[in-house]
Amino acid sequence: MSSYSFQRYDVSAAGKWQANGSNGSTSKPRSGAAVDINEIFGSQTFSLEMMRERLPKNVHQSLLATIDLGQPIDSAVADVVAIAMKEWAIEHGATHFSHWFQPLTGSTAEKHDSFVTPNRGGGAIYNFSGKDLIQGEPDASSFPSGGLRATFEARGYTAWDPTSPVFLVENPNGATLCIPTAFASWTGEALDHKTPLLRSIEALNTQARRALEIFKIKDVNKVYSTVGAEQEYFLIDQEFFLRRPDLMACGRTLFGAKPPRGQELDDHYFGSIPDRVLAYMTEVEFELYRLGVPVKTRHNEVAPGQYEVAPIFEHGNIAADHQHQLMQTLRNTAGKYGLVCLMHEKPFAGVNGSGKHNNWSMCTDSGINLLEPGDTPHANMLFLFFCTAVIKAVDKHQDLLRVSVASAGNDHRLGANEAPPAILSIFLGDELADIFDRISKDQQTSSGESGLLGLGTPVLPPLPLHSGDRNRTSPFAFTGNKFEFRAVGSDQTISFVNAVLNTIAAEAISEMADQISESIAGGSSLEDALHTAIKETIKEHGRIIFNGDGYSDEWTAEAERRGLLNLRTALDAFETLSSDKNKALFSRFHVLNERELQAREEIALDQYYKTICIEADSTGSIARRIVLPSAIRYLNDVAGALDGIQRQNLAADGLAAVMQDLSDLSNDLRKACDALKSVNFQHEGASVREKAYHMRDKVIPAMTRVREVSDELERIVAAEYWQLPTYQEMLFIK
Ligand code: ADP
Ligand code: MG
């Protein structure tokens, strides 16, 4: 905690946090130290354990068949489950229930309904039926639908996802029972991110099981994706936030000169965590444990004021729901400590932005991680098969992975020498790359051991979980037993990203499985068939493998020679979403039909447009109403001083120069504002695509110009005149 103080405005509250918590306002101290983890973990969820305890045996069994095997739920079963859930929730202080879903805005939505139902006698009872649990009917008209929902049929419906535990969200006066649901139009089209994710998990399950049959792997009922998403975020003092209209409206600073000291010294990363921040993190973790979110690691990130939290990986669908709860908890808890949590991809220009590393793998319900290199030839065959399939998938669908992370916010990050470039490539590490290289060239291994495939490929050397040469510049890196997709933005949902990963993997697995089955039918051994399939796939798709420095200019040139896509901005990426290739892919695996895909493209463009609109309006308003008046006030005082000095016949060139600079920059600022205004107009009649491009090509450069002039002014206007909290203050006061 800092004792920093400022003369120019009252920051009495900034940085003033008391160790007893939250400016003294938390009622219950949430200590992580003394809790019985067994008791609190998942205590806010109606967990499997809770179901076993509270449900009749046959109902419990039937529900498990739904959760584990995807069998449809019986309405009688749902009624019994609903009663048990309601009782549990009311015991825990719940007054309302809510179908919790992931609309296409990228965040989550909830509509609360009370458990209270009036009865005939003029009183009321608590009521919650199987029907209330299974299906809801929120008015869908306020959520983006990209044309999927005709205005005359505004209704959408939510459907319970029994595979993700219901949970309680507390408020000071009670709690709400939140039921994870999918959200669809009345005609059955997905209006959310969960539905395609669930469909993609099913596609992966079907194709991967088919492949496992070829390898004669028994006892597998299900294959699913596993996901662990590392979340980066910034914390700043609430006092500063409230004085920054840009942060309040846009989540990022639209103004601000780079501080004299930023992250140059690299002393923040993994540095000791300030007290207030640590207290905050401890409470966040405590709340997440209660929600059953298995958060594991926390540390400082590279930039000052930047931190990271990561859970232990889980089933992809639950991980996605938990990711939303994690973001929500990070946001909600900050206020109690006088902090604000910023999850924008680039809150501060010139300072590292925030991302989300989406760690992804595939796992059988019998516990085999399909991307784990094993120590037997058979295990390695499996690994090589699935790893090759991922290589093929990523190369073939670079565009989809790129589009899954595309947003106005992430445009500030990707390719800006701090995050992976906009070009997709795979880092395998030298050892693994060498193995693939040898297979593709039919080479003997150096050791000459007789190995798998009958062609001299050895049992894979044990690949350390964290190989020493971990490459931070790759957007898609193999890290021991999983792939880590690092281009995801900090503010994005991981649901779509994982729907894409699962679908493209399903396709590649299916195609390779076909190829191998055909060879076997033609008389090949499994080993030879696999060898040929890997060899041919690497020949065709090996160009995506790159182990070098992804930040270098040489890589951009090299990638172009290799024919890899470089979709620089979000808009370039959106254009590819509903290509014929992608329509065919998503419809083949029943993940998104053509209309659903088209709708997503519309919504992406619209969100981009609206984001830049808000930023442009905020830029104009802050420049005119805060920055320019500060400069003029200072200018006026300098002018008065200059006048006095000249009357005394003293040398005045210094002051005159200050005044000249102030006056020039003030004029420039006003001109830049006018230029911004002239391009930032209502685009009556234009399509959403035209509007989005106009924003990117005309409005963003005009905003950038306003900022440049303002940042110059910040460097010369006396501190006490400058109204906006500076980067220095926001990033360094803890
Ligand atoms: P870092 O990348 O920061 O070094 P780790 O490699 O330890 O951190 O883990 C990053 C994340 O990857 C964690 O959330 C972890 O649970 C997750 N992870 C580990 N194994 C798998 C897996 N098989 N599938 C998906 N995620 C995984
Ligand atoms: Mg990582």
Side-chain angles (χ1 to χ4, degrees):
M1 195 170 37
S2 165
S3 56
Y4 215 105
S5 69
F6 304 89
Q7 32 170 299
R8 63 196 162 70
Y9 54 66
D10 175 24
V11 287
S12 50
K16 268 203 189 158
W17 162 80
Q18 321 263 304
N20 61 6
S22 62
N23 296 327
S25 68
T26 359
S27 46
K28 304 180 240 181
R30 304 286 209 190
S31 163
V35 299
D36 177 351
I37 191 69
N38 240 333
E39 191 146 305
I40 67 154
F41 194 84
S43 60
Q44 297 289 94
T45 67
F46 195 64
S47 58
L48 288 177
E49 180 61 23
M50 215 29 86
M51 291 178 187
R52 199 181 50 77
E53 250 175 52
R54 294 190 174 229
L55 293 174
K57 201 159 180 203
N58 60 335
V59 171
H60 179 236
Q61 225 109 66
S62 161
L63 187 59
L64 283 187
T66 300
I67 295 172
D68 294 338
L69 304 171
Q71 290 176 8
I73 190 135
D74 194 271
S75 68
V77 167
D79 275 328
V80 180
V81 176
I83 290 170
M85 244 181 218
K86 179 194 74 181
E87 277 168 6
W88 168 80
I90 288 172
E91 280 166 30
H92 286 75
T95 54
H96 289 69
F97 68 94
S98 165
H99 277 202
W100 183 76
F101 57 101
Q102 304 174 19
L104 294 170
T105 54
S107 55
T108 57
E110 47 197 86
K111 176 189 157 223
H112 296 192
D113 278 300
S114 169
F115 285 122
V116 172
T117 312
N119 65 13
R120 276 160 159 257
I125 52 160
Y126 282 135
N127 198 18
F128 181 63
S129 67
K131 196 174 150 287
D132 294 330
L133 170 64
I134 289 183
Q135 190 169 313
E137 259 185 63
D139 178 359
S141 59
S142 314
F143 296 106
S145 80
L148 279 180
R149 189 202 56 238
T151 34
F152 61 84
E153 184 48 281
R155 279 183 307 168
Y157 71 95
T158 49
W160 178 36
D161 169 14
T163 60
S164 183
V166 302
F167 56 96
L168 291 169
V169 172
E170 285 176 327
N171 66 63
N173 296 323
T176 304
L177 173 68
C178 289
I179 302 159
T181 54
F183 178 44
S185 75
W186 210 241
T187 45
E189 269 144 343
L191 292 172
D192 69 344
H193 285 304
K194 183 190 267 282
T195 309
L197 177 62
L198 288 170
R199 293 172 182 165
S200 74
I201 292 170
E202 196 39 47
L204 182 65
N205 172 36
T206 310
Q207 300 309 325
R209 280 198 354 237
R210 198 158 74 79
L212 289 175
E213 271 168 31
I214 300 176
F215 287 92
K216 309 220 160 25
I217 304 283
K218 298 258 168 10
D219 300 327
V220 173
N221 295 313
K222 223 171 169 88
V223 174
Y224 53 89
S225 64
T226 50
V227 172
E230 304 160 60
Q231 174 74 47
E232 293 177 339
Y233 59 94
F234 278 87
L235 290 174
I236 66 165
D237 195 285
Q238 208 168 35
E239 282 294 299
F240 298 136
F241 177 80
L242 296 174
R243 288 165 198 269
R244 293 284 318 210
D246 45 1
L247 281 179
M248 291 176 69
C250 313
R252 77 177 180 102
T253 55
L254 301 167
F255 298 90
K258 203 172 168 300
R261 181 185 143 165
Q263 63 201 51
E264 291 79 5
L265 300 177
D266 277 337
D267 53 354
H268 184 67
Y269 190 54
F270 281 20
S272 84
I273 303 175
D275 269 3
R276 169 157 66 151
V277 173
L278 199 52
Y280 160 78
M281 288 175 167
T282 309
E283 176 159 345
V284 166
E285 286 165 3
F286 179 83
E287 291 304 332
L288 288 170
Y289 290 153
R290 296 171 78 222
L291 290 167
V293 182
V295 275
K296 179 78 176 164
T297 55
R298 60 184 184 200
H299 59 79
N300 287 358
E301 258 304 322
V302 174
Q306 193 185 27
Y307 308 91
E308 181 183 297
V309 55
I312 296 172
F313 68 94
E314 301 175 276
H315 184 296
N317 175 42
I318 295 176
D321 281 352
H322 280 171
Q323 235 292 308
H324 279 292
Q325 295 177 50
L326 179 137
M327 290 170 78
Q328 192 98 44
T329 307
L330 282 171
R331 286 204 172 94
N332 291 352
T333 310
K336 290 196 192 173
Y337 293 86
L339 295 166
V340 171
C341 175
L342 303 174
M343 263 177 274
H344 191 281
E345 281 77 17
K346 191 75 175 178
F348 303 99
V351 175
N352 265 12
S354 302
K356 191 137 54 189
H357 291 175
N358 189 82
N359 295 271
W360 174 92
S361 186
M362 297 163 279
C363 192
T364 67
D365 63 345
S366 57
I368 309 171
N369 175 356
L370 298 175
L371 290 175
E372 176 86 58
D375 40 22
T376 66
H378 194 255
N380 277 333
M381 292 213 301
L382 263 192
F383 165 73
L384 287 172
F385 173 85
F386 284 101
C387 189
T388 307
V390 176
I391 293 168
K392 173 176 179 153
V394 173
D395 182 50
K396 187 164 172 196
H397 299 293
Q398 299 160 44
D399 56 340
L400 276 179
L401 286 170
R402 175 66 184 87
V403 83
S404 75
V405 299
S407 71
N410 221 9
D411 270 4
H412 297 284
R413 229 181 116 243
L414 297 180
N417 272 5
E418 54 164 275
I423 307 164
L424 254 296
S425 66
I426 296 182
F427 169 84
L428 283 182
D430 292 338
E431 270 171 312
L432 198 52
D434 184 53
I435 287 163
F436 277 111
D437 201 42
R438 285 171 188 280
I439 298 176
S440 66
K441 291 180 183 147
D442 284 341
Q443 279 175 359
Q444 294 289 324
T445 55
S446 44
S447 65
E449 283 170 43
S450 65
L452 88 132
L453 314 187
L455 283 161
T457 307
V459 169
L460 292 185
L463 299 169
L465 206 64
H466 294 272
S467 336
D469 54 352
R470 282 194 62 180
N471 180 325
R472 293 230 148 242
T473 66
S474 174
F476 204 90
F478 181 72
T479 46
N481 58 0
K482 63 190 189 281
F483 279 98
E484 182 168 339
F485 187 23
R486 304 207 182 102
V488 187
S490 48
D491 208 19
Q492 291 180 312
T493 167
I494 57 167
S495 298
F496 188 56
V497 169
N498 286 297
V500 167
L501 277 170
N502 298 335
T503 312
I504 65 177
E507 184 197 56
I509 291 167
S510 136
E511 288 174 359
M512 283 183 60
D514 287 345
Q515 192 182 351
I516 292 172
S517 304
E518 273 165 35
S519 301
I520 292 174
S524 271
S525 68
L526 171 60
E527 281 83 353
D528 287 344
L530 174 60
H531 183 264
T532 308
I534 294 176
K535 193 169 97 179
E536 286 174 3
T537 309
I538 296 297
K539 274 212 178 108
E540 197 182 338
H541 299 286
R543 61 175 185 167
I544 197 77
I545 299 168
F546 175 63
N547 286 328
D549 179 1
Y551 293 176
S552 66
D553 293 336
E554 293 81 61
W555 169 233
T556 309
E558 164 69 14
E560 196 175 329
R561 272 193 298 280
R562 293 190 189 185
L564 299 180
L565 286 176
N566 186 359
L567 301 167
R568 287 184 178 79
T569 70
L571 295 187
D572 300 317
F574 296 153
E575 290 293 350
T576 66
L577 183 57
S578 55
S579 66
D580 289 343
K581 166 180 85 73
N582 296 338
K583 279 181 190 159
L585 170 80
F586 284 119
S587 57
R588 175 180 165 199
F589 293 100
H590 309 291
V591 173
L592 291 168
N593 66 28
E594 281 194 25
R595 273 160 50 83
E596 289 171 326
L597 200 56
Q598 202 79 52
R600 274 153 182 79
E601 189 176 314
E602 289 264 328
I603 293 167
L605 288 167
D606 189 52
Q607 287 202 322
Y608 180 92
Y609 165 69
K610 286 179 177 150
T611 304
I612 309 295
C613 263
I614 297 170
E615 291 187 353
D617 289 349
S618 302
T619 299
S621 153
I622 294 170
R624 285 168 202 273
R625 300 179 56 236
I626 300 179
V627 177
L628 195 56
S630 298
I632 292 171
R633 229 177 297 127
Y634 182 46
L635 181 61
N636 190 41
D637 284 2
V638 174
L642 186 62
D643 208 34
I645 287 174
Q646 281 166 340
R647 260 187 271 125
Q648 303 288 333
N649 283 325
L650 296 170
D653 357 350
L655 258 196
V658 171
M659 213 171 121
Q660 188 67 56
D661 288 349
L662 280 169
S663 160
D664 288 349
L665 286 170
S666 300
N667 284 327
D668 288 351
L669 184 62
R670 170 64 207 218
K671 277 186 219 144
C673 287
D674 290 344
L676 173 60
K677 193 173 173 190
S678 74
V679 291
N680 187 26
F681 47 80
Q682 289 297 320
H683 313 262
E684 296 304 337
S687 71
V688 62
R689 169 173 277 99
E690 287 163 345
K691 291 197 241 180
Y693 276 92
H694 177 82
M695 286 291 160
R696 185 190 72 178
D697 299 333
K698 296 284 189 306
V699 176
I700 292 180
M703 276 167 53
T704 306
R705 178 64 191 145
V706 173
R707 177 183 190 142
E708 277 165 6
V709 182
S710 168
D711 291 358
E712 272 310 307
L713 272 170
E714 185 182 332
R715 291 190 182 93
I716 62 165
V717 170
E720 63 180 294
Y721 292 78
W722 197 256
Q723 292 293 308
L724 293 170
T726 63
Y727 273 27
Q728 172 110 357
E729 291 155 3
M730 291 187 285
L731 292 170
F732 287 96
I733 294 187
K734 304 284 152 56

